[in-house]
Amino acid sequence: MIENDIKSDLERITGLSAYYLALPSNHLEGIVYQRISDPKMFTGLAKSKLVQARFQVTIQLIDDYKKALLLIDKIRDEWESIEHGYIGNYPVQNVERSNLWQDMEEQTDNRKIYRVGRDFILTYAERMQNEKSSRSERIK
């Protein structure tokens, strides 16, 4: 499951805590990510385990729009450079960027919550439950 590796990679790149689907109710800052779709790659007649999964990644920060923009760009720059590399310990063939969106919500005490999100298309091979999942295990 690639989600665990995405979480650790997002946290490594940004220094923020990452959460699947939503921030916990007691957190106002962090990263939210989720898989939106994961169609198999069309390869003609040959069967393939490759998928092109679309993940949404959203940075949420209080009163720091510029930092939110910088962090989403930092993720984009690092992930777009992947060509037959890794996200965390998960092998990924390619990463493409897609939609970008932004949002601001006013809170009490003149605080503003900024959300900056981007879709990423990750091309990778789906793994079966019994396949090894970490790069370090494959190297041994």
Side-chain angles (χ1 to χ4, degrees):
M1 189 164 82
I2 195 169
E3 279 83 357
N4 294 330
D5 291 287
I6 289 173
K7 174 183 175 27
S8 63
D9 214 43
L10 289 171
E11 290 176 342
R12 177 189 60 80
I13 293 167
T14 65
L16 297 173
S17 296
Y19 303 93
Y20 192 63
L21 297 178
L23 289 177
S25 60
N26 60 343
H27 288 72
L28 290 176
E29 294 189 324
I31 302 173
V32 175
Y33 67 101
Q34 62 182 322
R35 185 187 326 208
I36 301 302
S37 63
D38 60 355
K40 287 215 174 211
M41 255 183 96
F42 179 71
T43 58
L45 298 175
K47 284 192 173 189
S48 170
K49 289 200 273 183
L50 289 179
V51 296
Q52 288 186 306
R54 181 170 69 117
F55 282 87
Q56 287 183 345
V57 175
T58 305
I59 306 284
Q60 180 171 306
L61 295 175
I62 299 171
D63 293 331
D64 204 340
Y65 174 67
K66 288 181 183 180
K67 182 177 179 184
L69 287 173
L70 288 172
L71 290 176
I72 204 72
D73 287 349
K74 190 174 180 182
I75 296 165
R76 180 206 61 210
D77 292 346
E78 188 153 336
W79 281 8
E80 273 192 325
S81 69
I82 295 172
E83 190 170 320
H84 297 283
Y86 293 88
I87 288 182
N89 289 317
Y90 205 100
V92 174
Q93 291 195 2
N94 187 45
V95 178
E96 298 174 39
R97 67 175 146 180
S98 190
N99 300 329
L100 176 72
W101 67 95
Q102 302 175 28
D103 180 57
M104 186 272 293
E105 179 182 329
E106 290 195 45
Q107 299 285 303
T108 58
D109 299 329
N110 285 334
R111 291 188 309 179
K112 293 181 172 117
I113 295 178
Y114 291 100
R115 292 179 198 89
V116 178
R118 181 175 287 284
D119 289 357
F120 293 95
I121 311 299
L122 282 59
T123 302
Y124 61 92
E126 280 186 312
R127 292 199 179 141
M128 304 309 284
Q129 290 279 354
N130 57 356
E131 290 185 62
K132 291 187 178 180
S133 64
S134 85
R135 178 175 29 177
S136 60
E137 289 175 5
R138 288 190 308 280
I139 295 171
K140 290 181 182 177

